[in-house]
Amino acid sequence: MLAELKELWRYRELLLVMVQRDLKIRYKNSALGFLWSFLNPLLTVGVMTFVYSNFIFQKQPNMAAYIMAAYLPFMFFQMCLLDSAQSIIVALPLIKKIYFPREILPLAAVLSNFVNFLFALAIFFAYLLINYALHPGSFPIQPTVVILPLLILISFCLSLGASFIVSALNTFYEDIKYIVGVVLYLLFFLSPVVYFDETVANSHLNQNSGWLAYKIYNLNPIAQLCTAYKKAVLAPYDPRVMAPAGASPDEIVRVGAIPLSWKYLAITGVTSFLVLYLGYTLFNRLKWRFVERP
Amino acid sequence: MSGNGLIDIKELRKEFNLSTSGAASIKTALLWWKRRNMVHLQVLKGISFQVHPGECVAVIGKNGAGKSTLLSLLARVYKPTSGKIDIKGRIAPLLELGAGFHPDLTGIENIYFNGVILGLTREEMKARTDKIVEFSEIGDHINAPTRTYSSGMLARLGFSVAVHVDADILLVDEVLAVGDYDFERKCYAKIDEFRANGGTILFVSHQMDAVRRVADRCIWLKDGEIHRVGPPDQVIGEYEGRDLAPESG
């Protein structure tokens, strides 16, 4: 693996140009240009906020921020997988003619999405600050925001590792990309994007199973990352706000706000690095067969 | 290009497993008995030769003799099944019809991208862009997306990039007929210049005139093995006369 990394470093210029090219192509043929990359999440978050703040979490202030905090990293993971799945097949005419480290293709797809992700995060923070300026209250950004770089690193490793696996396998079995689409769709519901991990903790399923459901739920690295982004940046969500007027909150709600769990975050971190390591190993084993695929 | 491009091939073998069932899917993998349709193909059966610095070697042979596979192995697109390839110097494969071009990028952007793939830095490419544009004779069109280019323009642009990256070794697969008569002459002039500077060339062609014109040595590949090696005139003479003999191919 060390030799492969060295070779990759030798081709860093190509990687850079490839990322530039990706970003350029994506926005070149559209009048609104770079805006498109944010219009989609903006609309999605807008609709989700409308539905969930009006129909479900009616008493939770600033629901949009909670949704965004989890949806942006989720979207980053999703886009990485969908883009990189096709990255090698699309470049097949090129890699049949010329040598360069094949891992540059999924890596460039992940990196250009990473640039988008960072922009999206910047917009997210701008939104928080503007919202604070318009409706002054308690400051929305928590001090735990300092661990954000760590969360971003974990997200990046997980996305890259999964992208290596998906791009390598999709080259041989083109049904992989459909499977990935379905899995991502299901993963969205299994991750606390439009709800909270406290919601899971308070569920009958969890209470009756002696917290087993919550434990299993948090082993999913995507779910744990969504939770961690929310808890690191924003004020804790307290399920007690959901109690109906007149009722004593403690009768309805068994578990209050759950702080960021270092244990689950550590598990997620280790899982992500493992996915990256295994993904890259798998990719390196298969990469010479891309051009010879049946 | 300072006369240090060297190719040394020893006992090179390449085998392919081809599936006759077409596109890959999980279904075909699950139906394991489909595996019986796999065809084991020996394309190169252990060939050894050297190309010396400054030499121009042509490879000729029938379709399916393994010529293009040989070039692909040299370009490191395939990994040899066994055997060894030693290459000294930078290698530039001449891509057919701008295989490395992205249709949505302009000519300039594609030049830049292609050069970096061939191993130059962005700085080095910046210094060369003007020369490449001038050689390609594409003119103002260079700022238009390459999807608007004709196949002749793509080939000209591809050739221009490949000969301007200061490679030590040029791999050419049947692309010398890239444009009109004038441009073809210009290509040959450029190749002569490349050789005069000590550049090494390995090329594959069915055009015996081209082989006679530029090659120092000719290798005749037949069914994955080297059939004849020698001066172009002699080997081509035998090659063209093969139809007369009952068993040759």
Side-chain angles (χ1 to χ4, degrees):
Chain A
M1 178 165 288
L2 213 61
E4 252 104 16
L5 287 175
K6 236 182 220 166
E7 181 77 351
L8 193 58
W9 176 246
R10 225 164 57 78
Y11 276 82
R12 60 192 182 277
E13 290 258 341
L14 176 62
L15 180 60
L16 205 73
V17 173
M18 207 86 111
V19 173
Q20 277 177 353
R21 191 184 75 155
D22 267 12
L23 289 172
K24 232 180 218 168
I25 292 167
R26 191 173 309 178
Y27 306 114
K28 207 163 191 180
N29 296 334
S30 51
L32 285 177
F34 219 67
L35 274 179
W36 276 119
S37 59
F38 302 112
L39 210 59
N40 179 11
L42 232 55
L43 282 173
T44 313
V45 169
V47 171
M48 287 195 288
T49 305
F50 177 78
V51 171
Y52 282 86
S53 64
N54 286 311
F55 305 147
I56 295 162
F57 294 97
Q58 292 177 40
K59 293 176 182 165
Q60 175 60 34
N62 206 6
M63 193 60 195
Y66 289 93
I67 290 180
M68 255 194 277
Y71 185 62
L72 298 183
F74 182 86
M75 194 182 64
F76 168 58
F77 180 75
Q78 182 180 31
M79 293 305 291
C80 282
L81 256 56
L82 294 178
D83 280 358
S84 57
Q86 291 289 80
S87 62
I88 288 169
I89 299 228
V90 167
L92 218 51
L94 183 59
I95 64 176
K96 274 186 174 165
K97 292 288 161 198
I98 194 164
Y99 169 81
F100 57 87
R102 276 38 176 144
E103 49 268 45
I104 283 189
L105 293 166
L107 195 53
V110 169
L111 279 177
S112 56
N113 276 305
F114 187 64
V115 172
N116 274 344
F117 177 48
L118 293 184
F119 269 115
L121 279 181
I123 292 177
F124 169 57
F125 280 104
Y127 165 80
L128 288 182
L129 293 176
I130 291 170
N131 199 40
Y132 174 68
L134 295 178
H135 314 281
S138 57
F139 192 64
I141 302 171
Q142 302 297 303
T144 40
V145 75
V146 293
I147 69 157
L148 195 61
L150 176 70
L151 297 183
I152 293 175
L153 178 72
I154 295 175
S155 289
F156 183 80
C157 293
L158 183 65
S159 304
L160 183 59
S163 295
F164 276 140
I165 297 171
V166 168
S167 60
L169 292 182
N170 191 58
T171 310
F172 298 107
Y173 308 111
E174 289 198 46
D175 358 27
I176 294 284
K177 63 169 180 284
Y178 303 116
I179 298 174
V180 166
V182 173
V183 169
L184 282 169
Y185 182 72
L186 299 179
L187 215 50
F188 176 81
F189 296 103
L190 290 173
S191 304
V193 177
V194 289
Y195 55 94
F196 299 87
D197 70 318
E198 285 88 350
T199 322
V200 178
N202 275 308
S203 66
H204 286 297
L205 178 67
N206 185 47
Q207 295 294 333
N208 295 340
S209 66
W211 284 77
L212 185 66
Y214 185 79
K215 282 174 188 154
I216 294 174
Y217 182 86
N218 274 295
L219 287 181
N220 168 9
I222 303 293
Q224 180 52 36
L225 274 172
C226 288
T227 302
Y229 275 93
K230 277 185 185 178
K231 290 188 197 297
V233 180
L234 300 167
Y237 159 77
D238 192 342
R240 286 185 174 81
V241 300
M242 296 297 291
S248 156
D250 290 322
E251 283 169 24
I252 316 294
V253 178
R254 290 156 187 242
V255 187
I258 301 172
L260 180 65
S261 158
W262 292 103
K263 189 183 80 186
Y264 285 125
L265 190 59
I267 293 175
T268 301
V270 171
T271 311
S272 301
F273 283 108
L274 217 62
V275 168
L276 178 57
Y277 179 78
L278 293 177
Y280 194 40
T281 309
L282 176 77
F283 191 91
N284 280 330
R285 282 185 62 169
L286 293 177
K287 66 179 174 186
W288 286 101
R289 284 173 44 205
F290 291 162
V291 285
E292 299 173 19
R293 75 189 189 118
Chain B
M1 37 180 151
S2 47
N4 49 15
L6 176 84
I7 303 173
D8 188 3
I9 294 174
K10 281 193 192 94
E11 275 301 308
L12 186 63
R13 252 169 219 288
K14 183 67 197 168
E15 294 170 1
F16 289 102
N17 287 316
L18 293 180
S19 158
T20 50
S21 54
S25 74
I26 289 178
K27 192 186 80 191
T28 44
L30 287 179
L31 302 174
W32 52 271
W33 44 268
K34 277 268 184 189
R35 287 265 158 189
R36 286 179 192 164
N37 284 350
M38 292 296 257
V39 176
H40 200 63
L41 207 63
Q42 289 204 341
V43 179
L44 292 177
K45 302 168 184 167
I47 61 170
S48 309
F49 69 90
Q50 280 194 337
V51 181
H52 306 291
E55 197 182 21
C56 178
V57 173
V59 181
I60 59 171
K62 275 203 318 189
N63 284 331
K67 305 182 300 291
S68 295
T69 304
L70 175 63
L71 281 197
S72 297
L73 281 162
L74 286 170
R76 290 214 282 162
V77 167
Y78 296 139
K79 211 174 194 171
T81 307
S82 70
K84 235 183 127 183
I85 302 175
D86 260 330
I87 293 171
K88 292 203 178 76
R90 189 192 352 240
I91 208 160
L94 213 51
L95 304 177
E96 65 190 27
L97 288 188
F101 292 153
H102 193 290
D104 282 344
L105 292 180
T106 68
I108 287 275
E109 286 163 342
N110 269 313
I111 289 176
Y112 192 62
F113 179 63
N114 242 3
V116 175
I117 290 189
L118 291 173
L120 272 76
T121 63
R122 284 170 301 154
E123 290 301 312
E124 287 172 316
M125 262 337 268
K126 260 178 206 149
R128 271 155 238 250
T129 311
D130 286 344
K131 257 167 50 187
I132 295 174
V133 174
E134 197 194 318
F135 187 88
S136 68
E137 297 175 7
I138 282 173
D140 290 341
H141 239 79
I142 202 72
N143 290 315
T146 47
R147 63 167 181 268
T148 64
Y149 284 25
S150 69
S151 54
M153 287 161 84
L154 285 175
R156 259 150 51 196
L157 197 60
F159 183 88
S160 307
V161 176
V163 294
H164 280 94
V165 295
D166 287 354
D168 303 297
I169 305 166
L170 213 52
L171 298 180
V172 188
D173 191 355
E174 199 73 78
V175 280
L176 279 180
V178 289
D180 50 24
Y181 178 68
D182 281 342
F183 192 76
E184 199 179 317
R185 271 206 340 205
K186 207 167 144 186
C187 289
Y188 278 116
K190 192 72 195 174
I191 283 182
D192 287 342
E193 186 193 319
F194 177 79
R195 298 203 49 210
N197 287 326
T200 306
I201 299 177
L202 185 75
F203 83 108
V204 162
S205 186
H206 290 290
Q207 295 169 290
M208 294 307 142
D209 290 342
V211 176
R212 278 204 188 86
R213 194 184 172 299
V214 283
D216 300 317
R217 201 148 56 99
C218 191
I219 293 174
W220 176 0
L221 269 190
K222 188 175 156 189
D223 298 330
E225 283 165 336
I226 293 182
H227 188 59
R228 290 271 184 283
V229 185
D233 282 332
Q234 191 189 326
V235 177
I236 290 172
E238 261 187 76
Y239 180 71
E240 287 180 330
R242 74 192 190 284
D243 292 337
L244 304 174
E247 271 183 296
S248 25

